[in-house]
Amino acid sequence: MMPRVLIFGTGGIGSAYTYALTQAGADVTAVCRSNYEAVKARGLAIDSIVWGHDLHVHPNVARTCLEAAQALPEGEIYDYIVVTSKAFPASKPSTADNIKPAVGKGTTIVIIQNGIRIEQEYSAAFPDNPIISCVVYLPVTQTEPGIIKMLNLELLEMGSYPQGRFPEAPQAFAELLGKGNATAKVYEDIQPRRWSKLLVNCAWNPICALTLGSDVEFLTSSKGAEDFVFSVMMEVVAIAKTLGYGELVNEKEARRQLDRAVARVQSNLGYEASMLADVRNGRRMEVEAILGGVVKIGKEKGVVVEKLSALYTLATALDSNIQRCRKD
Ligand SMILES: NC(=O)C1=CN([C@@H]2O[C@H](COP(=O)(O)OP(=O)(O)OC[C@H]3O[C@@H](n4cnc5c(N)ncnc54)[C@H](OP(=O)(O)O)[C@@H]3O)[C@@H](O)[C@H]2O)C=CC1
Ligand SMILES: CC(C)(CO)C(=O)C(=O)O
């Protein structure tokens, strides 16, 4: 039988996986908020350097998880709920509260979000459900409601949360994504992968947001720019080492992650990190999930986090000013 999938948060990432999972043969329902009318009327239009241009998908659409649960045939459940909203730990209601009406016995919860320590709210709320924690490399923006632009990278790394619980769940989801031409890799321990991705996000997300430009625009803006990014990444490396992740998250890995951006300078293919999209759209930024937790751990461990702290302080101020402007 076709797996039933509910996507919670149909922005850039949610739309990309709505497309891939529909291609894989799943019956996909997308929870849409600001883009509800557009997606209901016209579906999602996707332009992707990886998957192709002029792609269209028309998922079932719901405004809330409760509405999506009520639309299920009697006795059926969603096999997967894929969380692709932004990560705001400690927000009320929490995302776990929001998805609760659609979580059935046996529903696998798939978290596709940046940041660290974002999984606990789900394991606390749904101790008997499989949880898959994912790290995503997929630069994508919703440019207008239902219109999605994906650049040249697409990779989903995943593992069970907590490690070792429902160990077969990530493989099954990876195989499903594979049928939809998405690239998925399974890891026994996903946490070092999260920290490797943090090298990218702790540096590029606040830098792009604060400088209103892409990674490539920053790298070419001054002589010291590349060294500055590397020094931010090296603070993340120092923290990751104290947590035992040094085998993956080390100077070589920081250089590799930085070089992925440097390699795009020639072709001028800049990535505008998702925090910059938030600034442009007057939305809340994932400051705590991406920077707050890292700075806190760094200080607890006695690591020098001068640059990360500065970026955290500046990004927090930017975020609160954006929220204030929205209210005014
Ligand atoms: N975009 C990118 O290039 C990348 C993003 N990521 C990560 O992926 C995650 C998703 O990012 P991204 O796709 O960019 O985010 P977007 O802001 O594009 O999409 C989030 C979506 O969630 C929706 N949403 C939020 N709360 C609710 C709610 N209560 N009910 C219904 N819908 C809701 C938003 O609706 P509304 O429009 O109404 O606010 C929006 O459509 C983040 O953790 C991000 O850091 C990782 C790699 C790359
Ligand atoms: C930098 C990028 C695009 C890499 O996937 C990302 O993770 C983000 O925008 O949050």
Side-chain angles (χ1 to χ4, degrees):
M1 230 184 59
M2 288 198 310
R4 264 182 225 285
V5 180
L6 184 65
I7 304 282
F8 181 76
T10 316
I13 295 288
S15 297
Y17 287 103
T18 295
Y19 176 76
L21 289 160
T22 304
Q23 289 297 104
D27 178 11
V28 182
T29 299
V31 175
C32 294
R33 198 166 57 176
S34 60
N35 57 2
Y36 178 88
E37 299 298 344
V39 181
K40 178 107 184 139
R42 294 179 295 282
L44 296 160
I46 299 179
D47 179 274
S48 162
I49 296 177
V50 181
W51 288 336
H53 306 284
D54 206 18
L55 307 173
H56 291 267
V57 58
H58 213 129
N60 311 313
V61 184
R63 283 189 195 274
T64 62
C65 289
L66 179 61
E67 192 182 306
Q70 286 166 343
L72 281 172
E74 184 72 29
E76 300 279 327
I77 62 157
Y78 286 101
D79 299 293
Y80 294 99
I81 297 185
V82 181
V83 176
T84 47
S85 54
K86 291 267 163 55
F88 298 120
S91 65
K92 292 278 171 242
S94 67
T95 305
D97 294 332
N98 286 329
I99 66 169
K100 199 170 199 153
V103 178
K105 191 164 179 272
T107 300
T108 297
I109 297 158
V110 181
I111 307 163
I112 307 185
Q113 292 177 320
N114 279 327
I116 48 155
R117 299 191 170 172
I118 56 169
E119 302 99 338
Q120 285 97 331
E121 70 177 73
Y122 304 93
S123 56
F126 311 111
D128 300 324
N129 291 75
I131 296 172
I132 304 175
S133 173
C134 302
V135 177
V136 61
Y137 291 85
L138 197 161
V140 58
T141 311
Q142 179 170 225
T143 53
E144 289 170 51
I147 310 289
I148 310 298
K149 192 164 173 49
M150 268 176 71
L151 298 183
N152 64 338
L153 174 67
E154 176 274 332
L155 170 66
L156 196 64
E157 302 177 330
M158 63 182 80
S160 300
Y161 185 87
Q163 186 188 349
R165 219 173 132 261
F166 295 101
E168 69 294 343
Q171 193 55 45
F173 189 61
E175 280 169 20
L176 179 63
L177 282 170
K179 289 184 195 152
N181 280 328
T183 314
K185 289 190 184 167
V186 174
Y187 293 88
E188 207 176 302
D189 184 3
I190 193 64
Q191 297 309 322
R193 300 278 146 191
R194 278 208 171 273
W195 278 84
S196 173
K197 181 73 199 292
L198 266 189
L199 295 170
V200 176
N201 294 123
C202 280
W204 286 123
N205 286 43
I207 288 173
C208 290
L210 290 159
T211 62
L212 296 178
S214 73
D215 50 6
V216 164
E217 282 162 344
F218 184 74
L219 285 172
T220 52
S221 65
S222 73
K223 266 194 175 156
E226 185 176 328
D227 285 350
F228 176 73
V229 179
F230 191 66
S231 65
V232 175
M233 291 183 171
M234 286 307 290
E235 288 189 359
V236 178
V237 165
I239 303 166
K241 281 187 174 167
T242 69
L243 298 173
Y245 300 138
E247 201 180 318
L248 175 68
V249 187
N250 50 37
E251 184 168 350
K252 194 169 153 220
E253 180 71 353
R255 195 64 246 174
R256 185 188 73 83
Q257 292 285 25
L258 176 53
D259 282 348
R260 291 177 39 240
V262 173
R264 285 182 276 102
V265 168
Q266 192 74 33
S267 58
N268 198 25
L269 181 60
Y271 291 177
E272 293 199 343
S274 50
M275 254 186 207
L276 174 53
D278 296 332
V279 172
R280 293 203 199 284
N281 293 310
R283 289 172 191 233
R284 215 174 139 194
M285 292 152 59
E286 295 171 297
V287 182
E288 289 306 320
I290 290 176
L291 285 157
V294 179
V295 169
K296 187 161 174 268
I297 298 169
K299 286 184 175 163
E300 280 164 12
K301 300 281 183 186
V303 175
V304 176
V305 286
E306 221 172 80
K307 290 182 174 120
L308 284 168
S309 291
L311 289 172
Y312 176 47
T313 306
L314 294 171
T316 302
L318 177 59
D319 192 40
S320 60
N321 287 342
I322 289 171
Q323 298 318 307
R324 202 176 34 251
C325 290
R326 260 188 91 142
K327 283 189 204 121
D328 291 346

